[in-house]
Amino acid sequence: SVTVRIANDEGAALPVRVHQAVSPNGDGINDFLMIEGVRDYPENKVTIFDKSGKVMAEIEEYDNRNNVFPGGRTVRDGTYYYYL
């Protein structure tokens, strides 16, 4: 277990921003989980899990291009959680 704390001026934008909406319907809008700034942390790992805690995906080196969620995979409508 590792704890990471980000120290920044109050009100400053965080270096990583996760877009909360995903609608993988092929229209080019929110088709995958977009994580701004993730390329600055190439050795990352994103874990996606459902409301019951079941792991849906573990994606190493998430990059908003080749390694994304859902990555062409069909998932049901619902609320999902992530750990980055």
Side-chain angles (χ1 to χ4, degrees):
S1 168
V2 175
T3 301
V4 176
R5 295 175 190 243
I6 299 173
N8 217 341
D9 294 334
E10 186 176 329
L14 292 176
V16 174
R17 180 172 173 248
V18 180
H19 292 233
Q20 300 300 311
V22 178
S23 61
N25 58 7
D27 67 357
I29 302 169
N30 297 327
D31 282 338
F32 61 90
L33 181 66
M34 170 66 79
I35 305 174
E36 291 180 31
V38 75
R39 284 189 242 157
D40 294 334
Y41 304 92
E43 295 181 14
N44 68 66
K45 180 178 176 183
V46 177
T47 304
I48 308 290
F49 50 98
D50 66 13
K51 62 184 177 181
S52 70
K54 178 182 175 189
V55 174
M56 305 299 294
E58 289 183 316
I59 305 159
E60 294 186 19
E61 300 176 5
Y62 200 97
D63 63 3
N64 295 325
R65 277 193 170 154
N66 302 312
N67 296 330
V68 298
F69 177 78
R73 205 172 120 190
T74 304
V75 292
R76 293 180 178 211
D77 289 349
T79 300
Y80 294 89
Y81 302 90
Y82 61 87
Y83 182 78
L84 170 60

